[in-house]
PDB file of all heavy atoms in Angstrom:
ATOM      1  N   ILE A 112      10.886  -5.805 -31.010  1.00 88.00           N
ATOM      2  CA  ILE A 112      11.244  -7.166 -31.426  1.00 88.00           C
ATOM      3  C   ILE A 112      12.424  -7.151 -32.400  1.00 88.00           C
ATOM      4  O   ILE A 112      13.403  -7.881 -32.215  1.00 88.00           O
ATOM      5  CB  ILE A 112      10.028  -7.862 -32.060  1.00 88.00           C
ATOM      6  CG1 ILE A 112       8.932  -8.067 -31.010  1.00 88.00           C
ATOM      7  CG2 ILE A 112      10.437  -9.209 -32.660  1.00 88.00           C
ATOM      8  CD1 ILE A 112       7.654  -8.655 -31.566  1.00 88.00           C
ATOM      9  N   LEU A 113      12.330  -6.309 -33.424  1.00 89.00           N
ATOM     10  CA  LEU A 113      13.417  -6.247 -34.414  1.00 89.00           C
ATOM     11  C   LEU A 113      14.708  -5.742 -33.790  1.00 89.00           C
ATOM     12  O   LEU A 113      15.794  -6.258 -34.082  1.00 89.00           O
ATOM     13  CB  LEU A 113      13.002  -5.352 -35.580  1.00 89.00           C
ATOM     14  CG  LEU A 113      11.905  -5.890 -36.499  1.00 89.00           C
ATOM     15  CD1 LEU A 113      11.544  -4.855 -37.566  1.00 89.00           C
ATOM     16  CD2 LEU A 113      12.347  -7.187 -37.170  1.00 89.00           C
ATOM     17  N   GLY A 114      14.594  -4.726 -32.930  1.00 87.00           N
ATOM     18  CA  GLY A 114      15.786  -4.198 -32.281  1.00 87.00           C
ATOM     19  C   GLY A 114      16.467  -5.224 -31.393  1.00 87.00           C
ATOM     20  O   GLY A 114      17.699  -5.331 -31.380  1.00 87.00           O
ATOM     21  N   PHE A 115      15.669  -5.988 -30.654  1.00 88.00           N
ATOM     22  CA  PHE A 115      16.219  -7.015 -29.765  1.00 88.00           C
ATOM     23  C   PHE A 115      16.919  -8.115 -30.566  1.00 88.00           C
ATOM     24  O   PHE A 115      18.037  -8.530 -30.231  1.00 88.00           O
ATOM     25  CB  PHE A 115      15.093  -7.605 -28.919  1.00 88.00           C
ATOM     26  CG  PHE A 115      15.561  -8.454 -27.784  1.00 88.00           C
ATOM     27  CD1 PHE A 115      16.160  -7.889 -26.675  1.00 88.00           C
ATOM     28  CD2 PHE A 115      15.398  -9.831 -27.821  1.00 88.00           C
ATOM     29  CE1 PHE A 115      16.596  -8.680 -25.622  1.00 88.00           C
ATOM     30  CE2 PHE A 115      15.832 -10.626 -26.771  1.00 88.00           C
ATOM     31  CZ  PHE A 115      16.435 -10.046 -25.669  1.00 88.00           C
ATOM     32  N   ILE A 116      16.281  -8.559 -31.649  1.00 89.00           N
ATOM     33  CA  ILE A 116      16.870  -9.618 -32.479  1.00 89.00           C
ATOM     34  C   ILE A 116      18.136  -9.131 -33.174  1.00 89.00           C
ATOM     35  O   ILE A 116      19.167  -9.817 -33.188  1.00 89.00           O
ATOM     36  CB  ILE A 116      15.844 -10.115 -33.515  1.00 89.00           C
ATOM     37  CG1 ILE A 116      14.671 -10.807 -32.804  1.00 89.00           C
ATOM     38  CG2 ILE A 116      16.495 -11.073 -34.505  1.00 89.00           C
ATOM     39  CD1 ILE A 116      13.549 -11.203 -33.725  1.00 89.00           C
ATOM     40  N   LEU A 117      18.071  -7.926 -33.751  1.00 90.00           N
ATOM     41  CA  LEU A 117      19.238  -7.382 -34.446  1.00 90.00           C
ATOM     42  C   LEU A 117      20.391  -7.136 -33.478  1.00 90.00           C
ATOM     43  O   LEU A 117      21.566  -7.310 -33.842  1.00 90.00           O
ATOM     44  CB  LEU A 117      18.868  -6.089 -35.159  1.00 90.00           C
ATOM     45  CG  LEU A 117      17.949  -6.223 -36.372  1.00 90.00           C
ATOM     46  CD1 LEU A 117      17.575  -4.847 -36.913  1.00 90.00           C
ATOM     47  CD2 LEU A 117      18.615  -7.047 -37.460  1.00 90.00           C
ATOM     48  N   GLY A 118      20.076  -6.743 -32.242  1.00 87.00           N
ATOM     49  CA  GLY A 118      21.132  -6.540 -31.244  1.00 87.00           C
ATOM     50  C   GLY A 118      21.850  -7.840 -30.911  1.00 87.00           C
ATOM     51  O   GLY A 118      23.078  -7.855 -30.766  1.00 87.00           O
ATOM     52  N   ILE A 119      21.092  -8.923 -30.795  1.00 87.00           N
ATOM     53  CA  ILE A 119      21.706 -10.233 -30.522  1.00 87.00           C
ATOM     54  C   ILE A 119      22.568 -10.672 -31.701  1.00 87.00           C
ATOM     55  O   ILE A 119      23.692 -11.154 -31.525  1.00 87.00           O
ATOM     56  CB  ILE A 119      20.607 -11.276 -30.222  1.00 87.00           C
ATOM     57  CG1 ILE A 119      19.902 -10.931 -28.910  1.00 87.00           C
ATOM     58  CG2 ILE A 119      21.204 -12.680 -30.150  1.00 87.00           C
ATOM     59  CD1 ILE A 119      18.735 -11.842 -28.590  1.00 87.00           C
ATOM     60  N   VAL A 120      22.045 -10.506 -32.926  1.00 89.00           N
ATOM     61  CA  VAL A 120      22.796 -10.896 -34.124  1.00 89.00           C
ATOM     62  C   VAL A 120      24.090 -10.107 -34.223  1.00 89.00           C
ATOM     63  O   VAL A 120      25.170 -10.661 -34.510  1.00 89.00           O
ATOM     64  CB  VAL A 120      21.936 -10.703 -35.381  1.00 89.00           C
ATOM     65  CG1 VAL A 120      22.770 -10.922 -36.640  1.00 89.00           C
ATOM     66  CG2 VAL A 120      20.734 -11.644 -35.371  1.00 89.00           C
ATOM     67  N   ALA A 121      24.015  -8.789 -33.984  1.00 88.00           N
ATOM     68  CA  ALA A 121      25.212  -7.948 -34.078  1.00 88.00           C
ATOM     69  C   ALA A 121      26.259  -8.337 -33.047  1.00 88.00           C
ATOM     70  O   ALA A 121      27.462  -8.339 -33.341  1.00 88.00           O
ATOM     71  CB  ALA A 121      24.817  -6.484 -33.902  1.00 88.00           C
ATOM     72  N   ALA A 122      25.809  -8.692 -31.824  1.00 86.00           N
ATOM     73  CA  ALA A 122      26.763  -9.076 -30.779  1.00 86.00           C
ATOM     74  C   ALA A 122      27.429 -10.410 -31.094  1.00 86.00           C
ATOM     75  O   ALA A 122      28.636 -10.588 -30.870  1.00 86.00           O
ATOM     76  CB  ALA A 122      26.050  -9.140 -29.427  1.00 86.00           C
ATOM     77  N   LEU A 123      26.641 -11.360 -31.612  1.00 85.00           N
ATOM     78  CA  LEU A 123      27.203 -12.676 -31.925  1.00 85.00           C
ATOM     79  C   LEU A 123      28.156 -12.618 -33.111  1.00 85.00           C
ATOM     80  O   LEU A 123      29.044 -13.460 -33.236  1.00 85.00           O
ATOM     81  CB  LEU A 123      26.071 -13.679 -32.203  1.00 85.00           C
ATOM     82  CG  LEU A 123      25.154 -13.992 -31.012  1.00 85.00           C
ATOM     83  CD1 LEU A 123      24.066 -14.967 -31.431  1.00 85.00           C
ATOM     84  CD2 LEU A 123      25.961 -14.565 -29.852  1.00 85.00           C
TER      85      LEU A 123
END
Side-chain angles (χ1 to χ4, degrees):
I112 294 176
L113 290 177
F115 192 72
I116 294 174
L117 290 175
I119 293 176
V120 172
L123 295 179

